[in-house]
Amino acid sequence: MIVALVITVFALVLTDLWLVMSVAVTAVLSRSANRRLRWTTGDHVEDVRNRSSLFAQLSMMGMVNTVAGAFAGLGASMYVVNSKVQFTWSIVPVFLLGIALVLVQGGGLVVGYWASRPLRAWITSPFVLEATVRKQLQAGPAPAEVIDDYDQILAELRRRPLVRGLTTSDGRVRPGMRSPVAEEEWPPARDHDPVGWTGRVRDDLDRRAAWRWVWHGQRRAFVLPLGIGVVLSGTAIGLSAAQLNPGAPTTVALAVAFGLWHVFLCWLGSKAARVELVLINRQHALVLAKLTVCADLIKALRELNRPVHPVAAEPVLPVLSVGRWQLFRRPHR
C-alpha cells in the first residue's frame, strides 16, 4: 500500500510539473510573439525553396545516411573473420547491404522529388504569395496561365483553416473566440503599437473565451495533464485514507490542499490561454488582411497585362461633293 502511494505521488508530481511547464511556456512564448508580431512581406518563393531544400538535404539525408552507414558497416563486418576477409554464404550481410543501398537511393529520390517540385508549389502562405506577386509586378507583365495559377493558389489558401483551433475545418471561426478589434489592426498605421493592440484585443475578448480556447486548442497541453492530476490526487487521497482513518484531519487537509492547488493551476492555465488567444486572433486577422492584399495585387497584375487598344478615329464623312471636289467636316477634338 505504501509503495502504491509513493508511486502515485511521484506520478502526480510529474504530471503537475508537466502542466506547470506547459502553462509557463505558453504564456512566455505568446507574450513574446505578441510583442514581435509585425506587418511584413515574406520571403520570395525561390528563397523559401532554396532554404527548405538545403534543410531537407542536410537533415533528412544526414539521418538516412547515418542509418544506412550503420547497416552497411554491420553487413561488411560479417565478411571479416579473425582480421581476415573471408567469403560467407550467409544471406544476412547481403540483406544488410541491400537495406543500406535502398535507404540511400530511396531517401535521395524522395528528397529530389520533393525539392524539384514546380516553383509555385512552394507558395504555401499569403506572405510568400504577396512577395511573389510583388516581384512579378516589378518585373512586368506575366503570362495569363501564371496569373491563373496565382488565383488558384489564393483560392486554396482561403479554403484552408487559417488558424487551427480558432477556425473549423471549413474555415468558419468558432463562436465566442473571435475579437473584431483584431481585424482593425491590419494594415497598421504609422503609430502602430503591438503592446497596445494586445491589450485592446485582450479587453475585447469574452471572459469565457479562454476556457473555450483551452477546450478546442489546448486539450493536450492543459486538459489532459489536469485531468490526470485530478485522478492521481483522488487516488493519493484514497490511499492515504486507507492508511489512516477516513475522517482524519490529515486526509481532509490533503483533499483541501490538492483541490486548491489544482484550482490555482486552472487559473494559471486560463491566464496563459487568454494571452495565447490574443496572439491567435491577431495572427488570424493578419492572414485575412494579407489575403486581401494578395487579391488586390493579382488584380493589378491582370490590369498590367490587359492590352491597351488605340481609340478608333472618328470617321470623316464628306459634307458636299462638286465634281471631283469634296467638302469635309472638321472632326471633333
Side-chain angles (χ1 to χ4, degrees), residues 9-22:
V9 172
F10 181 72
L12 176 61
V13 171
L14 292 180
T15 304
D16 286 349
L17 284 177
W18 174 20
L19 180 58
V20 170
M21 289 298 298
S22 298

Side-chain angles (χ1 to χ4, degrees), residues 25-332:
V25 170
T26 300
V28 172
L29 293 182
S30 300
R31 193 178 300 276
S32 176
N34 272 314
R35 291 196 299 265
R36 293 183 287 105
L37 191 60
R38 296 291 189 277
W39 179 273
T40 58
T41 301
D43 297 330
H44 188 256
V45 61
E46 294 178 352
D47 300 330
V48 173
R49 182 169 74 172
N50 293 337
R51 183 170 59 249
S52 301
S53 300
L54 180 62
F55 179 79
Q57 294 174 28
L58 292 179
S59 62
M60 180 179 175
M61 287 306 300
M63 293 185 294
V64 171
N65 290 337
T66 301
V67 176
F71 278 105
L74 289 175
S77 64
M78 293 185 178
Y79 289 95
V80 179
V81 179
N82 296 327
S83 301
K84 295 181 179 180
V85 179
Q86 296 182 3
F87 181 76
T88 176
W89 292 98
S90 176
I91 196 63
V92 176
V94 178
F95 179 73
L96 293 176
L97 293 174
I99 289 179
L101 182 62
V102 170
L103 284 175
V104 173
Q105 294 296 327
L109 289 175
V110 171
V111 173
Y113 177 79
W114 177 77
S116 62
R117 293 182 300 165
L119 192 62
R120 288 184 291 275
W122 294 84
I123 304 177
T124 57
S125 71
F127 301 91
V128 180
L129 179 60
E130 179 193 5
T132 303
V133 180
R134 286 189 185 277
K135 186 174 182 179
Q136 184 63 61
L137 279 171
Q138 295 176 358
E145 56 270 15
V146 174
I147 303 178
D148 292 338
D149 287 342
Y150 292 154
D151 277 331
Q152 294 177 4
I153 294 173
L154 179 60
E156 179 64 25
L157 291 175
R158 282 175 171 170
R159 285 193 297 267
R160 294 178 184 174
L162 300 181
V163 178
R164 297 188 181 276
L166 183 63
T167 56
T168 59
S169 58
D170 54 357
R172 294 181 300 174
V173 180
R174 298 185 185 276
M177 294 166 50
R178 186 73 179 102
S179 170
V181 174
E183 298 180 359
E184 302 175 4
E185 182 179 4
W186 315 108
R190 294 182 178 178
D191 56 346
H192 179 258
D193 181 17
V195 179
W197 274 103
T198 300
R200 290 185 59 184
V201 176
R202 182 180 60 249
D203 296 337
D204 184 59
L205 287 173
D206 183 57
R207 294 298 178 183
R208 293 171 294 182
W211 297 107
R212 295 190 183 99
W213 170 245
V214 168
W215 181 251
H216 291 288
Q218 292 292 345
R219 293 182 185 178
R220 295 181 180 178
F222 294 160
V223 179
L224 180 61
L226 183 62
I228 296 175
V230 171
V231 172
L232 291 176
S233 299
T235 305
I237 294 172
L239 291 175
S240 62
Q243 299 292 327
L244 306 172
N245 294 324
T250 305
T251 304
V252 177
L254 284 176
V256 173
F258 283 143
L260 292 177
W261 168 247
H262 286 95
V263 168
F264 176 69
L265 291 180
C266 288
W267 179 77
L268 287 181
S270 67
K271 290 295 182 182
R274 193 172 186 83
V275 177
E276 187 180 26
L277 186 57
V278 170
L279 174 64
I280 294 299
N281 272 275
R282 295 181 64 209
Q283 290 176 339
H284 183 266
L286 177 59
V287 172
L288 288 178
K290 285 294 184 180
L291 290 175
T292 303
V293 171
C294 291
D296 295 338
L297 291 174
I298 294 174
K299 182 179 179 181
L301 188 59
R302 285 193 181 277
E303 294 293 335
L304 183 64
N305 284 15
R306 183 171 297 176
V308 179
H309 299 286
V311 179
E314 183 180 356
V316 181
L317 302 176
V319 178
L320 177 64
S321 297
V322 180
R324 59 180 183 175
W325 300 93
Q326 291 182 335
L327 179 63
F328 293 92
R329 178 175 57 85
R330 177 181 295 177
H332 296 286

